Amino acid sequence: MPHVAIEDVKAARETIRDIAAHTPLQRAAGLSEAFDAEIYLKLDLEQPTGSFKIRGAANAVACLDEEQKQKGVVTASTGNFGRAMAHAARKLGVPATVCMSRLVPQNKVVAVRGEGATVEICGESQDEAGLRVAELVERDGMTALSPYDDYHVIAGQGTIGLELLDECPDMDVVLVPLSGGGLIAGVALALKDAKPDIRVIGVSTRRCPAMYESLKAGRPVDVVENESVADSLGGGIGLDNRWSFGMTRDLVGPDNVVLLDEDEIRRGMKLLYDVENITCEGAAAVGVAALAAGKIPDVHGKTVVCLVTGKNVDADMFQSIVA
Ligand SMILES: *Cc1c(COP(=O)(O)O)cnc(C)c1O
């Protein structure tokens, strides 16, 4: 399977400059002491729309041709990607539609509408919302964007890796929250191109280990999708995966993916809050959670970067976890 070209990650940095932020890298003094390592946090939760997804979304929308831009973009993602795509599309003057099932909570509908997208409520499940996406592609010539399995999305996410190479050239280990694999594919590509010895480790929830199981099987497989406190790490990788699976297999591999239980993820969120005063969602805390659970070997004395990917967490849920 082909990889995204590193030149396109470098080009993305320029392309997304006015829409996505260059986020801060912060040394975490408390965590460094706790884990006897140099721990840095890449604070991509400080992006507009509150997650790194804006990088890939902005690049994918910007890379459309003029006709595609006129006809607009569509997705069935109700989470961080739907929001990011809506935001990027509005900035670039491209119409955006997000299809959601009737079961999606009202606050998510409001968040996407607030970013200026058209929301289509259709069906009783996200699969039915997905069918509506296919209809809009067929009928109106809209372009469907995948949150993780898209060439330009992966190139956009890779810009985090380029920023890290500038900010922390001595890093030994980078811990990346892993779901569909768009983030880790782009970041691993950028890092390994410059420094092949950097260890890139994916961290997923055991409640939905789609990439982990697919890597073990040697091909994309379906897993049972259970709810998790790391809700942004839910969902499969698509049996027809074109990019993120092959790149994760080649650049990361099954031996560098760690699975966490719910309690471990909650502990990571609480630790980030108690020690570093950071409020983030479950998916964003898995790097710190994996360190706290002792699941990352050989980190003593090493420089470790954790990607803190998003802050879109329900306030009541967060309070109950850190209380
Ligand atoms: C989407 C998402 C991830 C995982 O990214 P993938 O490209 O699907 O692997 C991690 N953290 C947050 C906050 C996300 O929204």
Side-chain angles (χ1 to χ4, degrees):
M1 280 192 229
H3 289 191
V4 167
I6 185 68
E7 290 72 28
D8 288 322
V9 181
K10 291 176 179 167
R13 201 174 188 180
E14 228 18 76
T15 304
I16 69 175
R17 189 178 294 276
D18 292 337
I19 300 176
H22 181 150
T23 53
L25 183 77
Q26 174 179 305
R27 182 172 182 276
L31 294 176
S32 295
E33 190 161 331
F35 299 131
D36 184 26
E38 280 298 300
I39 310 289
Y40 290 86
L41 306 174
K42 180 63 169 168
L43 298 178
D44 237 54
L45 77 181
E46 293 188 7
Q47 290 288 359
T49 76
S51 82
F52 76 92
K53 290 274 195 325
I54 190 74
R55 294 176 186 263
N59 194 48
V61 175
C63 286
L64 296 172
D65 67 29
E66 281 315 312
E67 191 189 341
Q68 289 172 318
K69 281 183 181 161
Q70 242 168 31
K71 293 186 168 166
V73 287
V74 58
T75 188
S77 161
T78 60
N80 285 332
F81 186 77
R83 245 159 120 159
M85 188 194 83
H87 184 89
R90 181 167 58 176
K91 288 270 180 188
L92 292 162
V94 171
T97 298
V98 179
C99 300
M100 301 184 182
S101 85
R102 247 180 284 287
L103 303 179
V104 170
Q106 193 58 24
N107 62 327
K108 292 202 171 183
V109 178
V110 170
V112 168
R113 277 210 183 106
E115 294 292 350
T118 303
V119 173
E120 279 217 24
I121 306 287
C122 32
E124 304 296 334
S125 70
Q126 272 316 100
D127 283 350
E128 287 180 41
L131 294 178
R132 181 67 182 150
V133 171
E135 267 172 35
L136 292 179
V137 170
E138 184 70 20
R139 194 193 72 190
D140 299 341
M142 298 184 88
T143 299
L145 291 183
S146 162
Y148 54 86
D149 193 33
D150 178 282
Y151 187 98
H152 298 291
V153 168
I154 293 171
Q157 317 308 27
T159 60
I160 295 180
L162 299 181
E163 289 175 21
L164 290 178
L165 288 166
D166 290 345
E167 295 160 344
C168 195
D170 296 332
M171 67 197 138
D172 300 301
V173 181
V174 180
L175 302 179
V176 185
L178 171 58
S179 174
L183 175 62
I184 204 167
V187 169
L189 175 71
L191 295 178
K192 301 264 179 186
D193 175 72
K195 301 200 169 183
D197 291 340
I198 296 176
R199 276 162 66 202
V200 179
I201 298 179
V203 190
S204 300
T205 165
R206 196 184 293 285
R207 305 274 294 166
C208 194
M211 184 61 85
Y212 177 82
E213 293 298 343
S214 298
L215 292 172
K216 291 271 179 206
R219 63 186 159 79
V221 296
D222 276 331
V223 296
V224 180
E225 298 174 18
N226 296 297
E227 269 187 35
S228 169
V229 62
D231 56 319
S232 292
L233 299 186
I237 71 163
L239 294 179
D240 54 353
N241 191 293
R242 293 184 58 202
W243 299 100
S244 66
F245 170 72
M247 291 181 70
T248 306
R249 178 194 58 201
D250 298 348
L251 299 168
V252 181
D255 297 340
N256 289 309
V257 177
V258 167
L259 300 182
L260 296 181
D261 297 320
E262 295 298 283
D263 276 350
E264 292 170 331
I265 298 170
R266 281 195 209 96
R267 228 173 289 139
M269 291 171 82
K270 184 165 163 52
L271 199 58
L272 265 169
Y273 182 72
D274 288 345
V275 180
E276 305 295 339
N277 200 21
I278 289 171
T279 299
C280 70
E281 51 180 286
V286 296
V288 170
L291 287 167
K295 290 192 168 170
I296 311 297
D298 306 326
V299 290
H300 294 287
K302 299 277 168 58
T303 298
V304 182
V305 176
C306 299
L307 304 191
V308 184
T309 46
K311 65 175 177 194
N312 295 320
V313 59
D314 178 75
D316 292 337
M317 194 232 247
F318 186 79
Q319 273 316 317
S320 74
I321 287 168
V322 300

